Amino acid sequence: MSKNVFLDLGFNEEEAAGLKLKSYLFMSLQEAITNSKKNQTEIAELIGADQPKVSKIMNGKLDEFSIERITEYMQKLGYDIHISTSPAPKERSGTVVMDKRKLVKA
């Protein structure tokens, strides 16, 4: 078993890395919406979407949203997105490493 569930499900390394990143951002978006204490209609207005889209987010419809759209929504909800890179050790290829999410905004 790897540290990436998508690898374990049979995706190649590149696809698994992308899906891991996307799912991390998506979970952050779900948490940001929950922490906002606003209803889905209010959230929809804030992010420039309709209420059914917010419902899809809250119901985990990850495949219906691009990384770009997810990051756009996070920014509209008032969140910064931090991204950094570093060289991988020589004994392995690069991977996506996620730090613990820190969503404190309310």
Side-chain angles (χ1 to χ4, degrees):
M1 246 180 145
S2 72
K3 291 184 178 183
N4 185 333
V5 67
F6 299 106
L7 271 177
D8 298 337
L9 290 172
F11 290 94
N12 69 42
E13 287 189 36
E14 293 80 21
E15 291 173 312
L19 287 167
K20 183 176 178 180
L21 175 61
K22 185 177 178 180
S23 66
Y24 178 89
L25 289 168
F26 195 77
M27 288 185 298
S28 296
L29 177 58
Q30 289 175 313
E31 192 173 337
I33 291 170
T34 300
N35 289 346
S36 76
K37 307 287 193 247
K38 296 183 184 325
N39 67 41
Q40 289 187 3
T41 303
E42 293 168 323
I43 292 294
E45 187 173 317
L46 278 173
I47 65 174
D50 56 17
Q51 181 277 326
K53 282 240 190 292
V54 177
S55 179
K56 287 179 180 182
I57 293 166
M58 298 312 293
N59 286 307
K61 304 293 183 186
L62 175 72
D63 59 320
E64 298 201 19
F65 299 90
S66 66
I67 288 175
E68 294 83 6
R69 183 58 45 110
I70 296 165
T71 57
E72 175 189 330
Y73 290 167
M74 289 295 294
Q75 292 170 19
K76 287 181 176 182
L77 290 171
Y79 284 85
D80 291 334
I81 299 164
H82 299 259
I83 300 171
S84 67
T85 60
S86 61
K90 291 181 182 179
E91 63 271 6
R92 68 165 174 79
S93 63
T95 188
V96 174
V97 178
M98 302 295 171
D99 291 332
K100 185 173 182 177
R101 291 191 324 274
K102 297 175 188 172
L103 292 178
V104 183
K105 194 170 185 142

